[in-house]
């Protein structure tokens, strides 16, 4: 059993009650009564017991002491935990001190002092203090605190309600603070914090996260050794709607000639402060209809002066345009650093420092760092390039390289972003002439110190073109719409490789596809390519093309990674087109419901095009293909066929030579005799020759056979005299407008001169000029006639022209 005896003079009340939400399985036994709660007032002496062995699971206890400093003297000094002999329950000691608003009360805490925590947070040892200020009938929550911190004193105007929460098994036996009387502080409260050595403290305005009282003033005092440096950071704040005055913060800074220095809550707060300083928060008269909320959560970081504090770095952005450079902590902006993390500050002057510093183009900056480990800092930069007039900007080539003023900083570049915009009918081309680009695919991953992420976007859709790195085969990429290119670095190697950047950008006329790649690989290269937005698939109705350059004396092997597109179209059709870029090349086309082309050899530059439809739900068009290169080789069967063909041709040639020699020995020369009485023109063929015979040379022999002589030589020696060979004798008579035609079939036999034949009339300029050919043997002429009959039906070709072609064949 337990006995609690309370003196009247102590003005203490003890209340034991069930914990909220716990079933009354345990009761309090007082004399002959069983109760679920017990209240012991001043002057009472009560003995009680619990009906269970573990009452700490069911009951809590409140011990409240009322102190009146208005009607009588205050019991200043150490505050004790009375009464003794209390049961081991979770308990809360409450000191309710009434005081005049003309006087101030000071709560002074013994070491290890206090640390403020936010709403919902708990202390590691579950021992916590709560301080409330009471002005007239209004209560303001100054804050909740744990032990082991830097808050050493809290001064309040008027009364105070101080609470100490102890768990049932806590070994704490003292309150840890005392109460002192002070003169009026003329503000809501003053919180003093003593920071020794390198440390960090987080503090909140009263009532946080609710609103700071209207038109109130409070102060934080920071006691810091003069050889240390302090910086202030506002992490969370909001402003109320003011009718009069302005919400602000005021600083009293050491060595300042303009104290107090006034800042808005939205300003960058002072940093690199040498020694102790004060910070005050001032409210305003709020709008009665819409007051809003003034609240503030901030951090004070104390550091040793850095060795590189006075080392400045020049960042010259005077020649840059439309560019921003942000120096920030690692993980910004998605990650908020923990309050306990060491602070790295970037300063653009000795007093203006912050965790994040943004520099804009057109100026020169001298920055310094307050940071022990610069490897925790990063740089993110952004540059915008746009074109409104193609005639003006098409003449310019833009370099997409990181400026040296950024790479020379001792901070690692995290990302450089180029935002490229162009109006309709103007497109963007990026090229890497020397390094070329490699697409990051599972079979061929990038292992360089940096890569490019390329995204083409419109207000309606976004096309993730892919991730690329230097050292590949893609020479250029042409894209429609606005483009975002993000250079991202990996490790420290970029500092060495940054000098070799060669990415260029230019504006080009409109292209038909959303994206066109030009692939120019090195000999014997292996190129892996995939459609944009991999693996999520192309957006509907998007068309992508690749133009692959096949190196000289090489053959390319094109193969797709799967045999089908793997989609079903809801609207339209999807196609894959493959075609060599050569005259007369056959185009291979496959629809989404057909098998993709089998692996094939490409001997010329070729196109690959993928065009999407609107697929049904849960199907996406995503394709991968590979192009490999090898030297051109002649197949063994081809070699044997060529050798056999040469042998056959040699045999035919030998046979022809023998036959010709035999014919020359056995045959008389072939004689051509002109006959003007024969009409050899073909009707309906005059339109084939636009020139008249006077204007062309169709009547001239193109080839004179070595066994042919003119007819008048037949009169000499019955042919015993050898004919003149290779002698051309021009015809001097008038000519017609049509070329010679093959003779009619009635002239296939050898011509004989009859004594009754009349003399031919003289030649006139007529369209019926003919040539007659006399042959020694009728068989040869008949053979020639057969050959003409088997031709393609072109009877406008003369026999001499046939002879020319026969000669070429031989």
């Amino acid at each position: 059993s337990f006995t609690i005896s309370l003196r009247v003079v102590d003005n203490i009340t003890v209340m034991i009650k069930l914990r909220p939400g716990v079933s009354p399985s345990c009761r309090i036994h007082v004399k002959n009564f069983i109760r679920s709660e017990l209240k012991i007032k001043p002057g009472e002496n009560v003995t009680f017991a619990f009906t269970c062995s573990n009452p700490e699971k069911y009951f809590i206890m409140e011990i409240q002491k009322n102190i009146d400093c208005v009607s009588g003297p205050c019991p200043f000094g150490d505050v004790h935990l009375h009464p003794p002999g209390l049961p081991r329950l979770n308990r809360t000691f409450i000191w309710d001190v009434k005081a005049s608003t003309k006087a101030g009360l000071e709560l002074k805490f013994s070491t290890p002092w206090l640390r403020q925590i936010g709403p919902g947070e708990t202390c590691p040892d579950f021992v916590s203090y709560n301080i409330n200020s009471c002005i007239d009938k209004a209560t303001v929550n100054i804050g909740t605190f744990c032990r082991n911190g830097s808050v050493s004193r809290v001064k309040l105007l008027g009364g105070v309600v101080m609470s100490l929460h102890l768990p049932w098994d806590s070994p704490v036996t003292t309150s840890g603070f005392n109460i002192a009387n002070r003169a009026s502080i003329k503000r809501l409260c003053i919180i003093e914090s003593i920071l020794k050595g390198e440390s960090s403290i987080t503090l909140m305005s009263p009532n946080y996260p609710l609103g700071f009282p209207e038109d109130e003033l409070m102060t934080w005092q920071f006691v810091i050794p003069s050889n240390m440096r302090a910086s202030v950071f506002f992490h969370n704040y909001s402003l109320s709607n003011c009718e009069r005055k302005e919400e602000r913060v005021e600083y009293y800074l050491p060595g300042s000639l303009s104290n107090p220095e006034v800042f808005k809550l939205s300003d960058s707060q002072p940093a690199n402060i040498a020694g102790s300083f004060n910070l005050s928060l001032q409210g305003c008269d709020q709008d009665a209809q819409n007051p809003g909320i003034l609240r503030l959560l901030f951090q004070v970081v104390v550091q040793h002066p850095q060795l590189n504090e006075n080392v400045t770095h020049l960042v010259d952005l005077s020649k840059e345009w439309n560019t921003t450079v942000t120096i920030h902590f690692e993980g910004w902006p998605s990650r908020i650093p923990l309050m306990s993390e060491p602070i790295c500050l970037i300063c653009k002057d000795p007093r203006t420092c912050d965790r994040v510093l943004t520099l804009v183009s057109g100026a020169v900056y001298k920055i310094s760092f307050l940071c022990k480990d610069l490897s925790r800092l990063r740089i993110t930069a952004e540059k915008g390039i746009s074109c409104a007039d193609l005639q003006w900007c098409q003449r310019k080539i833009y370099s997409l390289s990181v400026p040296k003023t950024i790479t020379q900083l001792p901070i690692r570049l995290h990302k450089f972003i180029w935002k490229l915009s162009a109006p309709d009918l103007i497109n963007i081309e990026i090229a890497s002439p020397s390094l070329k680009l490699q697409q990051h695919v599972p079979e061929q991953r990038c292992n360089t110190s940096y890569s490019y992420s390329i995204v083409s976007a419109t207000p309606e859709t976004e096309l993730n073109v892919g991730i690329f790195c230097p050292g590949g085969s893609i020479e250029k990429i042409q894209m429609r719409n606005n483009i975002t290119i993000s250079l991202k670095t990996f490790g420290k190697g970029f500092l060495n490789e940054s000098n070799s950047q060669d990415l260029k950008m230019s504006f080009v006329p409109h292209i038909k596809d959303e994206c066109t790649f030009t692939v120019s690989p090195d000999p014997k290269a292996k190129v892996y390519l995939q459609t944009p937005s991999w693996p999520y698939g192309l957006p509907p109705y998007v068309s992508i093309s690749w133009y692959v350059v096949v190196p000289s004396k090489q053959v390319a092997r094109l193969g797709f990674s799967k045999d089908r597109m793997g989609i079903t179209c809801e609207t339209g059709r999807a196609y894959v087109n493959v075609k060599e870029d050569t005259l007369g090349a056959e185009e291979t086309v496959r629809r989404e419901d057909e098998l993709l082309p089998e692996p094939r050899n490409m001997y010329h530059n070729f196109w690959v095009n993928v065009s999407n439809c609107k697929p049904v739900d849960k199907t996406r068009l995503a394709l991968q293909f590979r192009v490999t290169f090898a030297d051109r080789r002649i197949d063994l069967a081809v070699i044997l066929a060529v050798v056999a063909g040469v042998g056959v041709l040699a045999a035919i040639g030998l046979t022809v030579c023998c036959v010709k020699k035999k014919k020359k020995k056995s045959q008389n020369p072939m004689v051509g005799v002109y006959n003007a009485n024969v009409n050899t023109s073909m009707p309906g063929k005059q339109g084939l020759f636009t020139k008249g015979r006077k204007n062309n040379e169709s009547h001239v022999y193109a080839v004179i056979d070595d066994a042919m002589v003119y007819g008048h030589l037949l009169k000499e020696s019955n042919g015993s005299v050898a004919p003149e060979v290779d002698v051309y004798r021009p015809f001097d008579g008038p000519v017609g407008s049509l070329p010679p035609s093959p003779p009619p079939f009635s002239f296939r036999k050898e011509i004989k001169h009859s004594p009754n034949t009349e003399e031919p009339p003289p030649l006139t300029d007529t369209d019926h000029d003919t040539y007659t050919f006399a042959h020694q043997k009728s068989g040869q002429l008949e053979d020639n006639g057969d050959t003409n009959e088997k031709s393609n039906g072109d009877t406008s070709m003369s026999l001499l022209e046939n002879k020319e072609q026969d000669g070429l064949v031989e």
Side-chain angles (χ1 to χ4, degrees), residues 255-503:
S256 174
L257 301 177
S258 57
N259 281 327
E261 295 190 14
V262 180
F263 290 79
K264 295 181 180 180
L265 276 72
S266 57
D267 294 337
S268 292
Q269 304 303 310
N272 202 25
I273 304 170
S276 303
F277 67 97
N278 292 353
L279 166 61
S280 298
L281 175 64
Q282 174 67 63
C284 68
D285 291 335
Q286 298 174 350
D287 184 351
Q289 301 298 325
N290 184 21
I293 293 177
L294 170 62
R295 60 185 173 189
L296 173 63
L297 181 148
F298 67 99
Q299 182 183 19
V300 177
V301 178
V302 178
Q303 298 171 291
H304 285 291
Q306 303 301 312
L307 295 177
N308 56 355
E309 177 182 1
N310 297 321
V311 178
T312 59
H313 301 270
L314 188 68
V315 182
D316 186 359
L317 300 178
S318 60
K319 296 181 181 179
E320 298 293 329
W321 50 277
N322 204 14
T323 302
T324 60
V325 178
T326 301
I327 306 174
H328 55 85
F329 55 87
E330 188 175 8
W332 174 88
S334 59
R335 187 185 73 89
I336 299 176
L338 299 175
M339 301 296 183
S340 57
E341 289 185 25
I343 297 294
C344 273
L345 301 180
I346 309 103
C347 307
K348 60 180 179 181
D349 59 59
R351 188 59 62 81
T352 307
C353 304
D354 208 337
R355 281 182 163 180
V356 179
L357 178 64
T358 298
L359 311 176
V360 297
S361 54
V364 179
Y365 301 89
K366 292 182 179 180
I367 64 173
S368 60
F369 302 98
L370 293 177
C371 183
K372 283 187 175 181
D373 185 8
L374 293 179
S375 66
R376 293 189 290 114
L377 292 178
R378 296 289 184 270
I379 297 175
T380 296
E382 182 175 307
K383 183 180 182 70
I385 302 175
S386 61
C387 173
D389 183 5
L390 180 61
Q391 292 183 350
W392 178 83
C393 55
Q394 192 175 15
R395 300 191 300 266
K396 188 172 182 180
I397 297 177
Y398 301 85
S399 174
L400 302 185
S401 59
V402 181
K404 290 186 177 181
T405 190
I406 296 177
T407 58
Q408 69 184 6
L409 290 173
I411 308 299
R412 174 180 156 186
L413 176 68
H414 170 62
K415 189 179 290 187
F416 199 107
I417 302 170
W418 291 273
K419 291 191 173 181
L420 317 176
S421 59
D424 295 339
L425 303 180
I426 299 178
N427 297 140
I428 293 170
E429 175 182 289
I430 62 170
S432 180
S434 57
L435 295 179
K436 300 182 184 178
L437 297 177
Q438 171 192 318
Q439 189 173 14
H440 179 78
V441 297
E443 294 81 6
Q444 203 169 44
R445 298 180 179 273
C446 291
N447 58 1
T448 54
S449 64
Y450 65 98
S451 67
Y452 299 99
S453 173
I454 303 177
V455 176
S456 172
T458 63
E460 295 81 17
T461 184
E462 180 176 283
L463 181 67
N464 185 1
V465 179
I467 297 176
F468 303 85
C469 56
S473 301
I474 300 174
E475 187 173 337
K476 62 183 179 181
I477 307 174
Q478 291 182 332
M479 292 163 285
R480 284 161 42 176
N481 311 323
N482 295 331
I483 310 299
T484 299
I485 301 176
S486 301
L487 182 150
K488 188 174 182 180
T489 64
F490 307 95
K492 300 178 180 179
F494 177 73
L495 295 176
N496 299 326
E497 298 182 10
S498 61
N499 294 329
S500 61
Q501 299 174 81
D502 76 331
L503 198 64

Side-chain angles (χ1 to χ4, degrees), residues 56-71:
E56 67 275 4
K57 292 184 177 180
Y58 302 97
F59 293 96
I60 58 174
M61 181 167 51
E62 290 182 357
I63 304 97
Q64 179 170 330
K65 180 178 177 63
N66 296 318
I67 302 174
D68 187 359
C69 295
V70 176
S71 59

Side-chain angles (χ1 to χ4, degrees), residues 145-169:
F145 301 82
C146 301
R147 299 195 299 173
N148 297 318
S150 62
V151 176
S152 57
R153 288 189 294 180
V154 177
K155 302 174 185 179
L156 302 117
L157 182 66
V160 62
V161 177
M162 178 73 178
S163 303
L164 170 61
H165 304 276
L166 297 175
W168 69 272
D169 56 351

